């Protein structure tokens, strides 16, 4: 029992340190008067004090409850920002790696890991908020805006996340197809713009097709007048189609 408690404490300490670093970055951007970040920071300070106590006296359920209360304080929008930042950085890094052919031949398994992590973060970002359910009790003056919200798209960042994750699925299918499949689960338990509502090992082609089809549909539907480019998305979908056949 003591070993299990010690393990939980170490893990919560790690999570708390990471969260504190993110909160510090957000505080610098939002200003010192952001009460949500102040409360979250206070919760983490209390968490650090509890973790510093005698391991045998630490209650795992109390530690995890306190860490969860930090998460609740951040809210969906800030959690979206954190997932977007992680996913976008991995997207840009993987984009640079795909230009290094010799490196790809030697370390494609490492690229696959970065891709899986990046796609997971982007899908998390897309699924934090539920789509707006359109019914008689909800009125919209702009029908196109209503369609976007019902699809779980709340900003242009959501569209970029869809395109980024689709492109990363393309890289995975193109450069990592010969590797043994990994049991890398993607948790998308809320039905947002990510389109996926189950937890299973990620299939590059399946996930990429699903999300890029939705991207094209939205760009050529409600956002048609905004002239979002769908050329690359269609080329990737064509690649998936031929790869499947």
């Amino acid at each position: 029992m003591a070993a299990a408690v010690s393990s939980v404490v170490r893990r919560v300490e790690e999570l708390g340190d990471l969260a504190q670093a993110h909160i510090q970055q957000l505080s610098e951007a939002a200003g010192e008067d952001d009460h949500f970040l102040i409360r979250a920071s206070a919760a983490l300070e209390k968490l650090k004090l509890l973790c510093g106590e005698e391991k045998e006296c630490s209650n795992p359920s109390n530690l995890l409850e306190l860490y969860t209360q930090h998460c609740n304080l951040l809210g969906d929008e800030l959690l979206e920002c954190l997932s977007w930042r992680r996913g976008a950085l991995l997207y840009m890094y993987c984009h640079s790696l795909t230009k290094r052919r010799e490196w790809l031949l030697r370390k494609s398994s490492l690229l696959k890991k970065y891709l899986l992590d990046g796609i997971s973060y982007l899908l998390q970002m897309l699924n934090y908020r539920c789509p707006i359910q359109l019914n008689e009790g909800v009125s919209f003056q702009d029908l196109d805006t209503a369609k976007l919200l019902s699809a779980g798209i709340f900003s242009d960042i959501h569209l970029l996340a869809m395109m980024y994750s689709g492109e990363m699925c393309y890289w995975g299918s193109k450069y990592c197809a010969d590797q043994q499949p990994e049991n890398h689960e993607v948790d998308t338990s809320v039905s947002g713009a990510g389109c996926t509502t189950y937890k299973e090992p990620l299939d590059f082609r399946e996930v990429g097709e699903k999300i890029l089809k939705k991207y094209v549909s939205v760009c050529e539907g409600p956002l048609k007048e905004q002239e979002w480019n769908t050329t690359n998305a269609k080329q990737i979908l064509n690649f998936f189609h031929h790869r499947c056949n």
Side-chain angles (χ1 to χ4, degrees), residues 92-104:
M92 289 184 282
Y93 184 57
C94 290
H95 182 269
S96 67
L97 293 180
T98 60
K99 306 299 182 183
R100 299 164 58 183
R101 295 187 178 182
E102 293 185 2
W103 187 92
L104 287 174

Side-chain angles (χ1 to χ4, degrees), residues 12 16 18 22 41 46 65 88 92 116 123 152 199 218 221:
V12 173
L18 289 173
H22 289 311
S41 182
K46 184 177 179 181
E65 180 181 355
M92 289 184 282
L116 289 170
L123 292 183
K199 188 172 182 178
V218 168

Side-chain angles (χ1 to χ4, degrees), residues 204-213 237 240-241:
F204 287 123
R205 187 191 62 79
E206 180 184 0
V207 174
E209 270 192 332
K210 187 176 294 185
I211 204 162
L212 287 179
K213 283 180 179 178
L237 286 171
F240 285 144
H241 176 73

